[in-house]
C-alpha cells in the first residue's frame, strides 16, 4: 500500500529511509477531526523489529518525545535504483477531535523513528496543521429611516451575540430588529 498523495516526508537518512506524515481534516460547524498517519519508506528491503516510534501533537513548537512503542517493519523491494512505493508502510494512525473556537488553532505534529539497522540513524518529520475557527456571519444593520445605524457585527456559529442597541426614528417606537426592512414580527 502506498502513502496517500500529499504525505509530507522527512529528510532521507543514510540514503536509505525516511518517515512521513499524512494528515486529513474533516469538519462540522462546531468540531474538526484531525487524522494523522505515520509512514515509513525505504529505498531497499527492510526486515527489522524493535524499532522505536515517537509521536507528539502539540499546541506549540516542540519535538517528538512521547514513545508510542515499538514497530516492526518489513518491506520487500530489494533492487533497483529508485524509491519503490511498494516499500512504503503505514506505521500508525492517530485521530483527535477538536472543538472549533473563535480563533484558528495551530497544531504542531512531530514523528520520529529510531532503531532500524539498515538505515543507520533516526528519522524524523514535522508538519503544522490549522484547525479552522467557527464559521462567522456578518450582521448588517439598517436603521430603516432611523438615525445612528449601528456598525456591522460578527456572529460566530453557535455563540450568543447581543444585538446593537435600539435606534430612534421620529414618529415610531422601536420594536426590535427584524430580518428585513418590512418585518413586523
Amino acid at each position: 500500500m502506498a502513502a496517500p498523495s500529499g504525505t509530507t516526508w522527512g529528510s532521507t537518512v543514510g540514503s536509505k529511509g525516511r518517515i512521513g506524515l499524512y494528515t486529513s481534516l474533516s469538519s462540522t460547524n462546531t468540531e474538526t477531526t484531525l487524522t494523522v498517519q505515520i509512514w515509513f519508506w525505504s529505498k531497499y528491503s527492510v526486515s527489522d523489529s524493535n524499532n522505536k516510534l515517537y509521536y507528539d501533537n502539540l499546541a506549540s513548537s516542540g519535538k517528538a518525545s512521547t514513545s508510542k512503542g515499538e514497530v516492526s517493519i518489513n518491506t520487500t523491494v530489494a533492487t533497483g535504483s529508485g524509491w519503490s512505493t511498494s516499500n512504503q508502510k503505514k506505521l500508525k494512525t492517530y485521530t483527535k477531535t477538536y472543538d472549533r473556537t473563535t480563533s484558528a488553532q495551530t497544531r504542531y505534529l512531530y514523528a520520529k523513528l529510531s532503531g532500524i539497522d539498515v538505515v543507520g540513524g533516526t528519522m524524523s518529520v514535522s508538519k503544522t496543521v490549522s484547525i479552522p475557527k467557527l464559521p462567522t456571519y456578518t450582521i448588517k444593520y439598517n436603521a430603516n429611516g432611523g438615525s445612528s445605524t449601528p456598525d456591522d457585527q460578527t456572529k460566530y456559529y453557535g455563540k450568543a451575540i447581543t444585538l446593537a442597541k435600539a435606534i430612534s426614528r421620529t414618529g415610531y417606537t422601536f420594536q426590535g430588529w427584524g430580518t428585513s426592512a418590512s418585518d413586523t414580527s
Side-chain angles (χ1 to χ4, degrees):
M1 173 194 312
S5 175
T7 298
T8 299
W9 294 99
S11 297
T12 303
V13 175
S15 301
K16 297 176 184 164
R18 58 187 168 183
I19 62 170
L21 291 173
Y22 174 75
T23 59
S24 64
L25 296 171
S26 63
S27 295
T28 66
N29 284 329
T30 59
E31 295 180 328
T32 294
T33 299
L34 167 64
T35 301
V36 178
Q37 296 176 354
I38 302 173
W39 287 83
F40 171 76
W41 193 2
S42 62
K43 188 171 185 179
Y44 305 108
S45 66
V46 172
S47 183
D48 203 349
S49 59
N50 302 321
N51 305 291
K52 298 195 183 325
L53 179 65
Y54 300 84
Y55 171 73
D56 283 288
N57 174 339
L58 305 171
S60 61
S61 186
K63 62 181 181 175
S65 60
T66 303
S67 176
K68 296 299 181 177
E70 295 181 348
V71 293
S72 294
I73 296 175
N74 186 17
T75 61
T76 58
V77 178
T79 60
S81 60
W83 291 79
S84 171
T85 57
S86 296
N87 276 356
Q88 293 177 349
K89 176 179 170 65
K90 182 168 46 171
L91 302 178
K92 293 281 185 175
T93 300
Y94 298 100
T95 301
K96 181 158 176 70
T97 299
Y98 297 90
D99 290 330
R100 293 172 68 176
T101 65
T102 57
S103 298
Q105 304 167 57
T106 300
R107 301 302 304 178
Y108 298 85
L109 311 175
Y110 300 94
K112 177 173 74 173
L113 182 63
S114 65
I116 299 179
D117 295 334
V118 73
V119 173
T122 298
M123 296 164 279
S124 62
V125 63
S126 63
K127 183 176 183 175
T128 59
V129 295
S130 181
I131 308 301
K133 67 181 181 178
L134 288 166
T136 59
Y137 308 91
T138 301
I139 298 174
K140 295 184 174 282
Y141 292 96
N142 178 345
N144 202 16
S147 61
S148 303
T149 302
D151 292 336
D152 294 351
Q153 285 181 285
T154 299
K155 163 80 169 85
Y156 290 95
Y157 181 89
K159 299 289 184 184
I161 189 170
T162 301
L163 296 176
K165 64 182 182 192
I167 56 159
S168 63
R169 182 174 176 191
T170 305
Y172 292 85
T173 301
F174 183 77
Q175 293 180 349
W177 294 107
T179 56
S180 72
S182 61
D183 193 351
T184 59
S185 55

